[in-house]
Amino acid sequence: MHHINRRKLFDVFKANTDALVYLKGGMVAHRYNTDFEYSFRQESNFWYLTGISEPDFHLVLDLKDQSWHLVLPRRDAKYAVWMGHVYPPEYYEEQFKPDGVLYDDQLERILRRRNPEVVYCMDEKQAITMRQWGLSANTQTLPEALAYCRSIKTEEEIECLKKASHVAGQAHRAAMKAAPTANYEYELKAAYEYITLKHGLQHQPYTGIFASGKNSAVLHYVNNDQPLPENSHVLIDAGAEYKGYAADITRCFPVNGSFSETQA
């Protein structure tokens, strides 16, 4: 799937363009000044083009010869102790079939030596890095090109969306069944996320809304901590994410399972 996505992006640009595409993958986020790590979820565009779910990677696409190069973080033994096995470059060559693999501390030297006319970047922060390395950077083209590519789904992508939608539908039904005996909004959230986790979907596409009564009128209500009034209603706006592809479903229903005349 990801090799098709790269091909789609290459095809957006003119052939033999003396330019590079540079993307920086996601990084681990910590809670304030602690060692608590939030569950890592790869940056969407990086995932779209590589299928790599690890943090601290980079990607370089060479538009001139349409090659792609994977840039690995150089991990040390301390990292392995805390985070687990560190794979060698050969692992990524075998698993992902890039045209080249290098470490991040080699990236500046290699890009300077390549010296393209321009480097297409996703944002100004990444562009600043390129300019500090003496390269010309453009932040206008790549976001638009990727948005265009991602709007045209392959059959495999459509299957991922169907899978996410199927699981989200099951989760909504589970939350509805739990409502008559639940006391708080977060119990519905627990019933919902149990189903998504049971299917191996460990990331939510967004923070779900499990809002009862007047809370359902708040567009981005995410506290999900209020009692469930017996004769009121619940609005659930929640989805599921499968391999980076998201479902988004909203339903409104009575807490006790029966619509009143007003609710109906």
Side-chain angles (χ1 to χ4, degrees):
M1 177 169 66
H2 305 284
H3 72 281
I4 296 175
N5 297 339
R6 290 192 298 273
R7 171 55 53 197
K8 287 161 62 177
L9 183 60
F10 277 132
D11 288 345
V12 170
F13 294 92
K14 293 180 180 179
N16 298 315
T17 301
D18 184 19
L20 301 177
V21 167
Y22 168 75
L23 274 88
K24 185 176 182 179
M27 297 184 295
V28 172
H30 293 83
R31 179 185 291 174
Y32 305 114
N33 295 316
T34 72
D35 62 356
F36 175 90
E37 294 184 1
Y38 290 103
S39 177
F40 176 73
R41 197 272 192 188
Q42 185 60 271
E43 194 276 329
S44 294
N45 292 300
F46 194 88
W47 168 261
Y48 176 78
L49 293 172
T50 68
I52 292 174
S53 58
E54 297 179 56
D56 305 321
F57 279 64
H58 308 250
L59 169 68
V60 176
L61 304 179
D62 195 322
L63 301 182
K64 193 166 188 177
D65 61 8
Q66 298 197 338
S67 61
W68 78 286
H69 305 266
L70 190 58
V71 185
L72 283 56
R74 195 181 289 277
R75 312 288 197 194
D76 57 18
K78 183 178 179 180
Y79 181 93
V81 169
W82 285 95
M83 304 306 296
H85 183 69
V86 176
Y87 293 102
E90 292 77 16
Y91 167 82
Y92 298 98
E93 292 173 347
E94 176 65 27
Q95 291 295 313
F96 300 99
K97 304 294 190 295
D99 296 297
V101 175
L102 60 145
Y103 283 110
D104 52 7
D105 56 10
Q106 301 171 305
L107 182 59
E108 178 181 358
R109 175 174 54 83
I110 289 175
L111 293 191
R112 283 180 178 272
R113 186 172 62 193
R114 170 64 177 79
N115 192 29
E117 290 183 2
V118 64
V119 180
Y120 294 110
C121 302
M122 281 300 296
D123 55 47
E124 189 61 26
K125 185 175 181 180
Q126 295 178 23
I128 288 173
T129 299
M130 296 298 109
R131 294 182 188 120
Q132 289 174 342
W133 294 351
L135 303 170
S136 175
N138 173 302
T139 60
Q140 303 285 324
T141 304
L142 184 57
E144 295 180 3
L146 276 169
Y148 171 77
C149 292
R150 291 177 60 181
S151 70
I152 305 171
K153 303 301 185 190
T154 64
E155 288 300 320
E156 190 171 354
E157 288 179 294
I158 291 171
E159 289 303 312
C160 289
L161 289 167
K162 288 180 178 179
K163 172 72 172 182
S165 298
H166 176 70
V167 173
Q170 289 188 331
H172 271 272
R173 286 191 288 272
M176 290 178 186
K177 290 179 181 179
T181 58
N183 295 311
Y184 286 87
E185 294 165 340
Y186 51 70
E187 294 178 60
L188 304 185
K189 180 180 180 181
Y192 188 100
E193 294 188 354
Y194 168 76
I195 297 298
T196 59
L197 287 168
K198 185 179 179 181
H199 284 82
L201 280 58
Q202 299 198 46
H203 297 290
Q204 297 295 324
Y206 55 92
T207 301
I209 297 171
F210 299 82
S212 61
K214 65 181 181 181
N215 298 330
S216 64
V218 180
L219 294 180
H220 281 183
Y221 174 79
V222 293
N223 290 344
N224 302 324
D225 61 357
Q226 293 302 298
L228 295 173
E230 182 179 353
N231 297 318
S232 187
H233 63 277
V234 173
L235 180 144
I236 297 180
D237 180 351
E241 182 179 291
Y242 178 69
K243 293 186 177 180
Y245 293 84
D248 180 344
I249 301 173
T250 301
R251 292 292 182 267
C252 192
F253 58 92
V255 173
N256 62 15
S258 299
F259 285 94
S260 68
E261 183 176 342
T262 301
Q263 290 170 338

